[in-house]
Amino acid sequence: MSNAPGAWRTRPEELTGSIAPVVTPFTADGEVDHQSLANLVDWQLKQGSDGISIGGSTGEPSAQTIEERAEAIRTVLKTVDGRAPVVPGTGSAKLNETIELTGAAYDAGVDAALIITPYYARPTQEALYVWYKTVAAEYPDLPIIAYNVPSRTAVEIAPETVARLHRDVPNFVGIKETTKDFEHFSRVIKAAGRDLLVWSGIELLCLPLLALGGTGFVSATANIAPSATKKMYDAFHAGRLDEALDIHYGLHPLVDLIFVETNPAPVKWVLQQRGLISSGHVRPPLITPTEPGEDKIRALLSEGANYLSAVDESDTITARAARTPATTGGE
C-alpha cells in the first residue's frame, strides 16, 4: 500500500526499524547517476528496509551542490512512491544552504529532515540550539531530526541541548547519534525523555541502543546487508534475542569492511561488483579503494557471506561480490 508524499510527517513515531542511508551513485565521469540511484532504492525496499535516507555522511553531501542534492532527493521520492518514509540529510555548514535544501526537500514531499550539526566552525551549545530552532521554525510541520556525528563535524550536541530543543521546539522530534560513547545515548534519552526518537548511526551500537529504548538504525551496513540489518531489528522486538545477537555478531566483518578505507568508498566498490550501481566513483577528496584495500574488502566479504548465506538467501549476493575479480570499473 502506498502513502501520499509526506504521509509520515504527522506520525514520526512510526519512523522505526532500519532506515537505509544510501550512497549517492556517480557515473565513471563523476556525474550523479540517477538511474543507479533509483535501482538502488528499489532494491533496498525489496530487501525490507523500513525507510530511505540520502545525503548523510555515506551520501557524500559535502562534495555536491545544493541542486545536486535536491535532485537526488527528488529521485529517491519518485522511486519510493509512498512505499516507505524518506528522511534525507539536508544540512550544510551554512545556514542559508541548510534552509534552502530543507525547503526543497519539504516541497518534494519528504517525511522528515535529518540536519547535521554544522561542521568545522565548532559552535557553542547555545549556537547549536539557535541553529536547530531557526531551521525548525522555517518548516513547522516538518519533523526535524538532529544528526550528531562529532568524528566528522568536530562538535557534539550535548544531552541538555537536545532536551532543550525537544522541550521548546514542537517539530524537533529526535536525533541520529553517531558517537561511539554509548553512555552518551543513555544520557540523551534520560535528559530529553523517552518519547525522544533516537536512531543509531554507529553500526555496532545499533542492537544495544534498542535495549535503551532506541527507535532504530540509520546504519551504513544496510547498504550491503539490508535484509539482515532489518531482521536484527525485527528479531529484537519479537523477543528472539539470540537470533538478534547472532545477526549482530555475524555482521561484524561487513562493518569492518565499510571502514577499510573512508566510507563510502568500500561500500560503493561492493555495490558496483554486485551490479547495483554503474560505477564505484567517489568524488574528491575521497578516492576509490587501493589495491590492498580491495584485497581486505574481498576477504571480509567472503567472511560475511559465509554467515549471511545461512541467515537469508536474499543477502547471498554478497557472496557473488566476494568472488568477483578485482576491477577498476573504468575509474
Side-chain angles (χ1 to χ4, degrees), residues 28 40-41 68 84 88 225 272:
L40 195 59
V41 168
E68 283 178 321
Q272 181 190 5

Side-chain angles (χ1 to χ4, degrees), residues 1-90:
M1 177 177 135
S2 291
N3 290 274
W8 281 269
R9 289 182 186 176
T10 59
R11 50 186 207 270
E13 69 280 359
E14 295 181 16
L15 301 176
T16 59
S18 176
I19 297 176
V22 298
V23 303
T24 303
F26 301 123
T27 66
D29 294 329
E31 298 301 316
V32 178
D33 184 350
H34 290 272
Q35 184 58 59
S36 286
L37 177 57
N39 291 343
L40 195 59
V41 168
D42 193 55
W43 176 74
Q44 279 286 338
L45 295 182
K46 288 176 179 176
Q47 293 292 298
S49 291
D50 294 296
I52 301 294
S53 181
I54 190 169
S57 303
T58 301
E60 299 175 73
S62 61
Q64 298 174 63
T65 67
I66 295 299
E67 182 49 41
E68 283 178 321
R69 294 175 66 186
E71 191 59 33
I73 290 169
R74 288 189 282 267
T75 294
V76 169
L77 281 161
K78 181 179 179 181
T79 306
V80 170
D81 193 27
R83 290 178 288 170
V86 175
V87 186
T90 61

Side-chain angles (χ1 to χ4, degrees), residues 25 61 65 67 108 117 164 170 173 216 246 253 272 285-286 316 328:
T65 67
E67 182 49 41
T117 51
R164 187 180 170 200
V173 301
D246 285 345
Q272 181 190 5
L286 301 184
T316 57
T328 59

Side-chain angles (χ1 to χ4, degrees), residues 14-22 41 43-53 83-87 176 198-201 203 206-207 210 214-235 237 247 251 315:
E14 295 181 16
L15 301 176
T16 59
S18 176
I19 297 176
V22 298
V41 168
W43 176 74
Q44 279 286 338
L45 295 182
K46 288 176 179 176
Q47 293 292 298
S49 291
D50 294 296
I52 301 294
S53 181
R83 290 178 288 170
V86 175
V87 186
K176 174 187 173 183
V198 182
W199 295 263
S200 176
E203 284 64 34
C206 286
L207 181 60
L210 297 181
T215 306
F217 335 131
V218 187
S219 167
T221 313
N223 276 284
I224 53 178
S227 181
T229 306
K230 160 67 171 172
K231 282 174 179 272
M232 182 171 68
Y233 176 89
D234 288 345
H237 280 283
I247 296 172
L251 287 172
D315 273 324

